Amino acid sequence: MFRGGIKMWISFLLALIPIIWLIYSLAIRKMPAIKACSIGLLITIVLAILGFNLSIVDTLTGALEGILMGLWPIVYVIVAALFTYNVSNYSGGIKIIQDTLSSITTDQRILVLIIAWGFGGFLEAIAGFGTAVAIPAGILIGFGLNPINAAVICLIANTTPTAFGAIGLPVITLSDVTNLPVTPLSFVITLQLALLIIIIPFLLVILTGGGVKAIKGVGLITLMSGLSFSIPQILVAKFVGPELPAIVGSICCILTTVLMAKLYHHQDNDIKENIEKHSAIEILRASSPFILVFVFVVLASSLFPNIQHLLGKVTSYIKVYTGKDTELFKINWLSSPGTLILLATFIGGLIQKVSFKKLGQILKSTIFGLWKTLITICSIVALAKVMGYAGMTSAIAAALVVLMGPIYPLVAPLIGALGTFITGSDTSANVLFGNLQLSSAKALGVNSNWVVGSNMVGATAGKMISPQSIAVASAAIGQDGSESIILKQVAKWCLLYLGIICIFLYGIGFAVGFL
């Protein structure tokens, strides 16, 4: 029954220890992530040295490379994205954007599509880090939705957009850790997400209206809300890259849903009086940081190769890991999404009449407010790097391939979901399990992009039940202590989501010859 030899299974069990620790400490003991991940890193270092014979120097430099990778670009992008939100919130721009989106209609079903799905998707694409749950939930409660229901709706909506959240950071990181070309990988992931992106708007409408009958009267709008997100996302991933798919998809979704609502849905002319009206100039000024982020990212993309090449020249290469067959650590100072977001936000903040001094203060407070996140992310990335260099992820993959055989791709998304549930981050889930999926795909002789992409798609499912996401949702609706209620309600939808993913990706993979 147990093929592969005793040594393989001993390595498998040893390699599982850091993962078991993370599950136990985070999910069962409910230990703070900063403590759990730091201890997990120490455990992994000891195992790498004693159990997998990785030299002390190689182990420590591997961990250092992981820490640097956690800082650049992951934490750097998170700081920049949250800086954008904090500046817009301080200037009142977020309030104007909320008013503009909220004044379209009083139909709660359409408001959910615009605010939780479209606007939430845009916030995830630009910032992530809980803003896509917290902000839409607060708006929806203002329109009469039950707070718990609003939280559940926003958690479910904040799934597929997370794959390309924070200017494509999760997919870019997945490409970096697996060394798979980022554009083909991005394209495959958008294809894998397509069915879910069409289904989720219908689910949101059902939850809003209390049953399947809620779709009546808004079925076409709901369908177009999904298609207008999915199709542009696929095209952008195919021809541009990973930075813009969710941004373009969410913008197209918002515009399409609003247009469809105005043209085909009966409007209540008595829009709520407490929604303030704003001029076009006010709306443009409020949106300026987000518009500039979009413009700068486009200019730095492959659509403008000369600019991309020029920015890419300002890059540092550092040898960190001392082991064999390693690549230099790269810091792309100007072309990094973090740099582009910071520049756009400083300019946008000045347009919104926020002083340069105040912008500096907001940036400083943003950075200092993320110190726990910084340590957590650096620890989990370093842990994943050490596991990779020591051969621990390969050991897990080898055993799983023997256990699951040719049906391993069927459960590949579950591993990604586990990663996000543990870490609260799609990016961290990709760092933790990306190489495991790659090793498994190579061992089975199947398409690497398809199996590695399955990790990303599965990770989007884990996002809705992550303790971190649940905590954000509970705080957003002002009901601390409601975490268990929210988790109970959202868990069943997570299981349905995962079931669809596993069956769909496995079936389509066989149909197109990837598996």
Side-chain angles (χ1 to χ4, degrees), residues 304-362:
F304 297 90
N306 291 335
I307 297 177
Q308 186 183 53
H309 177 70
L310 182 64
L311 294 177
K313 286 185 175 181
V314 188
T315 302
S316 298
Y317 295 90
I318 307 170
K319 182 175 176 56
V320 181
Y321 179 58
T322 54
K324 297 178 181 179
D325 302 322
T326 183
E327 295 185 358
L328 296 176
F329 180 73
K330 181 173 68 173
I331 302 178
N332 48 339
W333 298 102
L334 297 183
S335 59
S336 168
T339 302
L340 300 175
I341 297 171
L342 283 177
L343 179 61
T345 304
F346 269 102
I347 297 174
L350 293 173
I351 291 173
Q352 293 179 342
K353 300 180 180 180
V354 180
S355 70
F356 194 84
K357 180 180 179 180
K358 185 61 183 179
L359 289 170
Q361 293 173 348
I362 295 173

Side-chain angles (χ1 to χ4, degrees), residues 81 84 112 140 191 208 283 293 305 314-315 337 339 387 393 405-406 471 485 490:
T84 304
V112 162
L140 292 177
L191 295 177
T208 304
I283 295 171
V293 168
V314 188
T315 302
T339 302
M387 286 185 68
T393 51
I485 300 173
V490 82

